Amino acid sequence: MNLGLYRNLFFLTLFFFCINLIQNENVLAQTSDDAFEVYLDFNHRGIINDVVVTYYLEDVFFIPAQGVFNIFQVENSLEGLVLSGRFGSEQASYLIDLESNIITFEDQSYPITTEDYILTEVDFYLPPRIYSEIFGLDFSVDFSNLTLNLETEKELPIIQSAIRRQRRRIAERNTADRTYYPLLQGRNVTLLDGGFLDYSLSSNFSNNTNAFNYNSNLGLQLVGGDLQGSVFGVASEDNQVTSTDNLRWRYLIRETPLISEVTVGQTTLDGVLTNEYTGIRIANDPIEPRRFFDEFEVQGNTFPESEVELYLNNALVGFEQADELGNYRFLTPLYYGSSQLDVRIYGPTGQIIERRSRVQVPFSFQPKGTLNYKLNAGILDNPIIGSTERSMALQGNMAYGLTPWLTLKGGVEYYETDAGDSKPSYTGTASLRFLRSYILSFEGVTDGYYRATINSVYPNAASFNIDYTNFTASSGIYNAGGSDQQLVTSFFYPLYLFRIPLNMRASAFTRVREGITFTTFRYDINTRIQKLSLRMGFSDRYIDEFDVLNPTSSATLESSATYNFSRNPNIPIFLRGTFLRAQARYLPAVNQFQSSEFLVSRNLFSNGRLQVSYGRNYLTNSNTIRASFVIDLIKTRSSTTATTFGGSYSVSQTLRGSIGYDPNYSNFLLTSRNQVGRSGAALKMYVDNNNNNRLDEGDEEIPEVNLRLQRSGASERLKNGVLYYTQLQPYFRYNMEINKASITNPMLVPQVDQFSVVTDPNTFKKLDLAFYTSGLMEGYLERVYQDGLTDGIGGVKLLLRAQSDSTVKEIRSFSDGSFYEYPIPPGKYELFVDPSQLDLLNMKSIPEKLDFEVVSRPDGDFIEGLSFQLVPRDLIPEEEEVDSTLFTEAVPSLTLDDVTDEIRNDPEIIQYENELLVKVEEALRLIILTQNEFYERDFEKAFEYIEQSLQAFETAQGYALKGSILYFQGKRLEAVNSWRMALRFDPDIFIPTLESLDQRVTVSSSD
């Protein structure tokens, strides 16, 4: 037995034991030396996701005060042993004073003792009891999962901030300055690419005829544009018909104000008449429809010094405090459509005032200074009224936003007639908004009509619309009905009756022709009581005299009731998700029911729905029974319908779906949803081992493929290792974000994690996203005392800054001073100790910072040996440049002369020596057993022995052997940590580098 080794270990342990005895005589509070350091995962409300360093002492977890307050974004300031600030949304002042052992919160004081906290150099730690009793923070620890949990009714600043950010994100989705991620791929302009085919196949059988219908729509990318057209037909025993429709080629150009669209083929006119024609269309409308219109001013007056919030469509968009006169003013974005503006005022004495208004912006409005045009020229597909031939048509218009509240539009239309006396017609429109929610428009067509329209929507959702037309031509293409005047009115008003909502709507269509007035009137009222919806409607048609109280023979009274059962498990299973509807029609003039119907519908299986209805016509004494079953088979959709009416019957079967071809990976993609006229994406992720930014045969594909797409109703599907996204809009620019949480290998980092692409029409856009194996950084943080002694220091914050984008990441050192971080993307970095921590410790860092580079390697890059020394600022002058290695060598070493005979002969020391000899002997015995199992390649048994050895007594040989076992188990990171511990116990112990060890293992395996 090596007695020299025992003697050295004994005296070294004896020296530190004596030092601790001397230090503990002056300790008044508990220190971290008495406790175990435990790292707990802290997740709260999906917003907080952090690691909290706690101390475990006598079955109690002590939680860092400043640490959790920093996580909560609670205001705090630490001076000596006093932590103070303001807590929560109430901004209640608090003071944690460990000099006087008193905690003050909301003007109340709570005495504590030295057993109620643990003191360290960088923070002090309190038990959950104090957080709960004083601050209302109920912490609990799940020791089996090492998690820290929190329940509280307090509104934490970080939660409030996250909610405000979420509100702002909702409000910013439709902002004018839409923010895009960096463009990864623009439009791919190709001669011929992709291909989508939508189909519908139907068979109809009845007791009279049998027929087969088919309809197909084909879409391709041709010469950079999209080509599409339909082929449909009917085949029966007596006849077969085949035809084509909507065959056209279209080319869209993004972000070009002069021209954005060129269409050649069958399309539709954009004028007063919307006839179909074959020809050419040119326009400069934006490809992605406008959502933002302009900024809008909201101002008012209230109690002075009130807090005022502005909500746009229930999203918070502004906050300010009223001035000393009570005035407030906001500038809010204004969007197309109807916008609800709510002003919420919190008065200085607690009163709450709400003001609501609504602003309308029709989609026909143009932003100020914006000019858009449309030009159409071609041959009409069908003759116009008064002609027997397909005539030529020319049409063009332009709209200009003169002011934010006035848009002017003018145009010309020309249609060739059989008589040869054709002349152009001129059109003009003025649309203006006044009093926020009122829209007034005037429209005129030469030799056609003049029209005036006014409408409004009020804050309570009530609305009205009045449309009056005076025809200047007695007939013709602009007055096909031969009317003299026309009036269309509509009114809607919601109200509550005994807390029951009632929605009332009345509308009338009046036409004056040759001294005769025709009026069609309709009135509806509906309500909803939980799951039950009720509706009652009345309609009638009057000639000349309008009298609602005296219905005509055309009057009809309709009623309906619907009920939708929820999927509550307490409801019988055969009723869950079932929809019921009953309706009836009554003729007041003859005092008789015309018809009634009852329908039941419910889901079958996970993707099917069955619907059965029974109807009765009381005038003809006939019954109608209809049953239909629709099932979505993902790749196609099947619909079967059977109907009986009187003595006849019919059965139809329809299959609908779409077939898409991806030329990138030669895959056919079948889906039940139409794809023609849309776009898709084909996605693969891979590890770029040769750093050429291209997917090669040697690169490893990543199976966990997942993206987040903004502003998208896309469907996703995995086929043959390719993730497909369908139902994207063509020519649109989409923001995409890699879901890094779905990648199981934490060492993989994407080359770009946020990017945007412009989709291509009628094809799948190929997206190969490169990943790199990241790096791992590890090091040691050492504290140097005035007497030259050193040890590791835990809980200190280090900052890792990327030189590419200046992003900063926080790292905490462990209790022994070690630290590590992964994954670190390839790039250049600088590492330094947080200056605020150095100020708190009154120390300086040697060196001030470390620079290193992470290189992309197939197995990852390991940056080792990073170390800092923290020395007292008054130990070394600021102006001197000191080499850290020279400073370490100047520390005096311990010798046998430092141990006196009095210490050697102390009975307690002799007992400690005997116990120590037993532990060392047991540790060496277990190391021998570990070596035997290691050479037999039983790594699990060897690891069990070496763990027992280190528990008995820590040695350099034990940690070195543990590192070797971990290495052969494939745990490289843990192996590096164990070898680092071995070097701390014996700096001269031989530890091979990972590169040399990898080479030896590889050669040995090949031999």
Side-chain angles (χ1 to χ4, degrees):
M1 185 175 292
N2 190 348
L3 296 179
L5 173 63
Y6 283 179
R7 193 164 48 246
N8 291 338
L9 292 173
F10 163 71
F11 286 122
L12 183 61
T13 305
L14 177 62
F15 176 81
F16 285 107
F17 177 76
C18 294
I19 293 297
N20 285 332
L21 286 177
I22 296 172
Q23 289 179 342
N24 288 336
E25 291 179 0
N26 299 321
V27 173
L28 299 178
Q30 300 179 103
T31 67
S32 58
D33 297 334
D34 306 317
F36 296 100
E37 189 178 56
V38 181
Y39 291 79
L40 301 178
D41 287 327
F42 183 31
N43 296 279
H44 182 61
R45 293 182 61 174
I47 295 173
I48 299 175
N49 184 14
D50 214 323
V51 175
V52 177
V53 182
T54 64
Y55 283 99
Y56 183 68
L57 178 64
E58 297 180 354
D59 296 330
V60 177
F61 285 90
F62 287 78
I63 303 169
Q66 190 178 29
V68 295
F69 283 179
N70 285 335
I71 293 175
F72 295 160
Q73 296 179 1
V74 170
E75 175 191 329
N76 66 86
S77 174
L78 182 61
E79 295 183 4
L81 296 179
V82 179
L83 181 67
S84 61
R86 295 186 177 276
F87 187 88
S89 58
E90 302 86 359
Q91 291 292 286
S93 61
Y94 69 90
L95 183 74
I96 304 176
D97 187 352
L98 299 190
E99 293 178 350
S100 305
N101 286 338
I102 291 178
I103 298 179
T104 303
F105 183 63
E106 292 184 327
D107 299 327
Q108 295 186 14
S109 298
Y110 306 85
I112 59 175
T113 67
T114 56
E115 295 182 353
D116 289 330
Y117 56 87
I118 291 178
L119 211 52
T120 68
E121 292 91 340
V122 296
D123 209 335
F124 42 85
Y125 296 71
L126 304 174
R129 174 182 57 83
I130 290 181
Y131 288 103
S132 177
E133 294 176 356
I134 300 177
F135 298 102
L137 304 173
D138 294 326
F139 285 107
S140 61
V141 176
D142 183 350
F143 193 71
S144 60
N145 295 314
L146 293 180
T147 58
L148 178 65
N149 305 311
L150 171 65
E151 292 185 5
T152 181
E153 295 181 357
K154 297 285 186 180
E155 284 295 333
L156 302 177
I158 187 174
I159 304 298
Q160 292 178 320
S161 177
I163 293 174
R164 287 194 299 269
R165 287 196 304 270
Q166 184 179 14
R167 287 174 176 173
R168 286 195 294 268
R169 282 196 297 268
I170 294 174
E172 290 170 357
R173 286 177 182 172
N174 300 327
T175 56
D177 298 327
R178 185 177 298 159
T179 302
Y180 288 109
Y181 295 146
L183 184 63
L184 182 67
Q185 282 194 38
R187 281 275 289 112
N188 295 329
V189 179
T190 58
L191 178 63
L192 180 64
D193 192 13
F196 293 153
L197 176 65
D198 299 339
Y199 63 88
S200 174
L201 307 175
S202 300
S203 296
N204 299 286
F205 306 96
S206 66
N207 52 353
N208 297 322
T209 59
N210 298 328
F212 173 75
N213 303 317
Y214 59 91
N215 189 346
S216 62
N217 194 11
L218 176 65
L220 298 169
Q221 182 177 186
L222 179 66
V223 196
D226 57 291
L227 175 69
Q228 69 180 53
S230 299
V231 178
F232 59 92
V234 177
S236 62
E237 298 176 354
D238 303 326
N239 191 19
Q240 290 187 358
V241 177
T242 301
S243 183
T244 62
D245 187 26
N246 196 30
L247 180 61
R248 58 111 179 108
W249 176 83
R250 182 183 62 167
Y251 191 90
L252 300 184
I253 307 171
R254 288 183 57 88
E255 300 174 356
T256 304
L258 185 61
I259 182 173
S260 62
E261 176 188 352
V262 176
T263 300
V264 179
Q266 293 176 298
T267 184
T268 306
L269 294 174
D270 296 297
V272 176
L273 301 181
T274 57
N275 301 51
E276 295 181 350
Y277 76 101
T278 301
I280 185 171
R281 179 177 189 266
I282 300 175
N284 74 333
D285 286 337
I287 295 175
E288 298 187 36
R290 295 188 183 99
R291 301 185 179 189
F292 175 83
F293 176 71
D294 195 8
E295 287 189 328
F296 185 75
E297 183 181 64
V298 178
Q299 59 181 345
N301 183 270
T302 184
F303 299 103
E305 309 301 328
S306 297
E307 294 182 351
V308 186
E309 293 180 344
L310 176 64
Y311 291 82
L312 174 64
N313 297 328
N314 296 321
L316 179 65
V317 294
F319 168 80
E320 69 174 36
Q321 192 170 27
D323 61 19
E324 62 276 4
L325 298 178
N327 298 317
Y328 61 86
R329 178 179 179 271
F330 295 96
L331 279 178
T332 179
L334 190 60
Y335 305 108
Y336 282 96
S338 180
S339 298
Q340 178 74 38
L341 290 171
D342 297 321
V343 176
R344 194 171 300 167
I345 302 171
Y346 300 91
T349 58
Q351 64 268 51
I352 299 177
I353 303 172
E354 293 190 4
R355 297 171 180 173
R356 309 186 69 183
S357 62
R358 190 174 288 270
V359 181
Q360 284 196 93
V361 179
F363 287 92
S364 59
F365 270 42
Q366 299 285 110
K368 181 181 178 180
T370 302
L371 176 68
N372 286 126
Y373 69 87
K374 301 181 182 69
L375 300 175
N376 299 271
I379 304 298
L380 294 178
D381 291 346
N382 298 293
I384 61 174
I385 296 177
S387 177
T388 59
E389 301 292 334
R390 295 171 52 198
S391 60
M392 182 179 69
L394 301 175
Q395 183 270 325
N397 62 60
M398 59 178 59
Y400 181 74
L402 188 63
T403 69
W405 50 269
L406 177 61
T407 293
L408 301 178
K409 181 179 180 181
V412 60
E413 300 183 358
Y414 174 82
Y415 297 95
E416 187 180 31
T417 63
D418 296 340
D421 56 351
S422 303
K423 61 179 180 178
S425 298
Y426 299 96
T427 65
T429 304
S431 301
L432 61 95
R433 173 172 50 86
F434 65 98
L435 299 178
R436 291 189 178 181
S437 60
Y438 291 87
I439 303 298
L440 178 63
S441 64
F442 300 96
E443 180 184 359
V445 180
T446 59
D447 298 326
Y449 62 83
Y450 297 101
R451 175 175 295 155
T453 304
I454 184 172
N455 63 75
S456 180
V457 180
Y458 296 95
N460 65 345
S463 65
F464 78 91
N465 181 82
I466 301 176
D467 185 315
Y468 171 75
T469 305
N470 181 44
F471 293 94
T472 58
S474 59
S475 62
I477 60 175
Y478 299 114
N479 189 9
S483 301
D484 296 331
Q485 300 176 67
Q486 181 176 290
L487 178 65
V488 180
T489 58
S490 175
F491 300 90
F492 172 78
Y493 191 82
L495 57 85
Y496 279 85
L497 182 64
F498 305 110
R499 295 186 177 182
I500 298 176
L502 292 176
N503 300 314
M504 296 179 290
R505 184 184 300 275
S507 62
F509 175 78
T510 301
R511 186 174 63 177
V512 179
R513 183 175 61 182
E514 297 178 354
I516 301 177
T517 302
F518 302 91
T519 300
T520 301
F521 174 76
R522 182 172 184 85
Y523 178 80
D524 291 277
I525 182 171
N526 64 77
T527 184
R528 182 179 178 88
I529 305 173
Q530 295 182 349
K531 300 286 185 179
L532 177 64
S533 297
L534 301 173
R535 186 185 69 84
M536 180 74 70
F538 172 78
S539 63
D540 201 353
R541 190 168 184 267
Y542 305 92
I543 300 176
D544 289 335
E545 185 178 358
F546 178 77
D547 188 356
V548 178
L549 299 179
N550 294 309
T552 70
S553 59
S554 302
T556 303
L557 190 64
E558 300 177 352
S559 63
S560 68
T562 62
Y563 191 87
N564 195 1
F565 288 92
S566 68
R567 300 184 182 275
N568 192 313
N570 296 325
I571 296 177
I573 189 170
F574 63 90
L575 289 177
R576 294 177 197 169
T578 300
F579 174 80
L580 303 177
R581 185 184 69 194
Q583 59 186 21
R585 291 170 61 91
Y586 180 77
L587 304 177
V590 295
N591 194 24
Q592 182 181 357
F593 279 97
Q594 180 184 18
S595 63
S596 63
E597 184 185 48
F598 179 77
L599 178 144
V600 57
S601 175
R602 67 165 313 219
N603 289 338
L604 285 184
F605 316 114
S606 59
N607 51 359
R609 192 162 188 89
L610 176 65
Q611 181 173 296
V612 179
S613 66
Y614 167 78
R616 171 74 174 174
N617 189 313
Y618 299 98
L619 300 181
T620 61
N621 292 323
S622 59
N623 299 324
T624 302
I625 301 176
R626 179 179 291 106
S628 65
F629 178 62
V630 179
I631 183 168
D632 190 346
L633 302 174
I634 300 177
K635 295 183 179 182
T636 189
R637 174 171 295 185
S638 171
S639 176
T640 305
T641 303
T643 305
T644 64
F645 176 73
S648 63
Y649 72 90
S650 66
V651 178
S652 66
Q653 171 64 49
T654 302
L655 290 177
R656 291 187 178 91
S658 180
I659 303 173
Y661 176 67
D662 176 21
N664 304 300
Y665 300 104
S666 300
N667 282 335
F668 285 95
L669 198 71
L670 278 67
T671 176
S672 60
R673 302 177 65 182
N674 291 344
Q675 299 183 87
V676 173
R678 296 185 178 270
S679 179
L683 175 67
K684 274 191 176 184
M685 296 181 180
Y686 66 97
V687 182
D688 192 5
N689 290 324
N690 54 9
N691 300 328
N692 64 352
N693 199 28
R694 186 174 63 249
L695 178 57
D696 299 322
E697 293 184 0
D699 294 331
E700 175 188 358
E701 294 187 10
I702 302 174
E704 310 94 4
V705 185
N706 198 356
L707 280 182
R708 298 188 185 97
L709 276 68
Q710 295 185 4
R711 298 190 305 111
S712 170
S715 300
E716 61 180 71
R717 181 178 167 192
L718 187 65
K719 181 175 183 179
N720 298 333
V722 183
L723 181 64
Y724 287 98
Y725 287 92
T726 62
Q727 303 302 313
L728 300 179
Q729 294 293 340
Y731 305 98
F732 275 37
R733 184 170 178 177
Y734 284 94
N735 277 345
M736 300 184 177
E737 182 177 357
I738 295 176
N739 183 9
K740 292 182 286 188
S742 65
I743 308 300
T744 56
N745 186 351
M747 298 298 290
L748 295 179
V749 294
Q751 183 185 35
V752 290
D753 57 353
Q754 294 179 332
F755 57 91
S756 63
V757 299
V758 178
T759 55
D760 304 318
N762 292 326
T763 189
F764 292 99
K765 193 176 194 72
K766 183 179 180 182
L767 297 174
D768 291 338
L769 304 179
F771 278 68
Y772 299 99
T773 306
S774 62
L776 180 146
M777 171 208 70
E778 63 91 17
Y780 182 67
L781 192 64
E782 186 178 49
R783 172 174 48 185
V784 181
Y785 294 94
Q786 293 281 357
D787 54 8
L789 296 177
T790 64
D791 68 353
I793 179 171
V796 176
K797 182 166 62 176
L798 297 96
L799 302 178
L800 179 65
R801 176 183 293 145
Q803 296 185 11
S804 58
D805 54 7
S806 298
T807 56
V808 177
K809 194 169 189 179
E810 294 183 1
I811 304 168
R812 292 279 183 175
S813 62
F814 296 95
S815 58
D816 64 347
S818 63
F819 59 84
Y820 70 89
E821 177 64 23
Y822 78 93
I824 305 177
K828 294 183 179 181
Y829 297 87
E830 58 181 19
L831 178 69
F832 54 94
V833 182
D834 183 8
S836 63
Q837 298 269 281
L838 293 175
D839 293 339
L840 182 63
L841 297 170
N842 194 27
M843 289 185 170
K844 66 180 297 183
S845 169
I846 301 177
E848 291 186 0
K849 68 173 183 175
L850 292 171
D851 296 319
F852 63 91
E853 182 179 4
V854 175
V855 180
S856 177
R857 305 180 191 277
D859 295 328
D861 195 10
F862 293 85
I863 310 299
E864 304 168 323
L866 302 175
S867 63
F868 293 94
Q869 284 189 328
L870 303 187
V871 300
R873 287 180 175 172
D874 55 357
L875 181 63
I876 301 175
E878 292 286 343
E879 64 272 8
E880 293 186 12
E881 295 291 336
V882 181
D883 187 288
S884 60
T885 58
L886 296 178
F887 183 80
T888 304
E889 293 174 358
V891 178
S893 59
L894 177 67
T895 65
L896 292 176
D897 295 336
D898 296 317
V899 183
T900 64
D901 292 334
E902 182 180 359
I903 295 177
R904 290 192 185 97
N905 297 324
D906 187 281
E908 187 176 353
I909 298 303
I910 294 174
Q911 180 183 357
Y912 184 82
E913 178 185 13
N914 294 332
E915 293 176 357
L916 183 62
L917 291 176
V918 172
K919 290 181 179 180
V920 172
E921 184 175 0
E922 176 65 10
L924 294 178
R925 184 184 70 82
L926 290 168
I927 286 178
I928 294 173
L929 293 175
T930 301
Q931 290 175 336
N932 293 335
E933 299 298 334
F934 180 82
Y935 293 131
E936 293 295 329
R937 302 188 67 81
D938 189 351
F939 297 132
E940 293 183 1
K941 192 66 176 177
F943 189 84
E944 180 180 350
Y945 282 138
I946 201 61
E947 283 287 86
Q948 296 176 10
S949 173
L950 292 172
Q951 291 176 4
F953 192 83
E954 293 178 286
T955 61
Q957 291 82 359
Y959 277 110
L961 192 52
K962 180 181 177 181
S964 300
I965 297 170
L966 291 169
Y967 172 82
F968 280 94
Q969 288 180 325
K971 302 176 181 178
R972 297 168 60 91
L973 176 60
E974 291 88 340
V976 171
N977 289 333
S978 293
W979 288 332
R980 187 181 67 243
M981 290 296 294
L983 291 170
R984 290 180 188 159
F985 279 86
D986 183 3
D988 297 325
I989 193 170
F990 173 73
I991 301 294
T993 63
L994 283 175
E995 289 77 6
S996 63
L997 197 57
D998 290 341
Q999 185 176 5
R1000 293 179 187 177
V1001 172
T1002 303
V1003 172
S1004 175
S1005 300
S1006 62
D1007 291 341

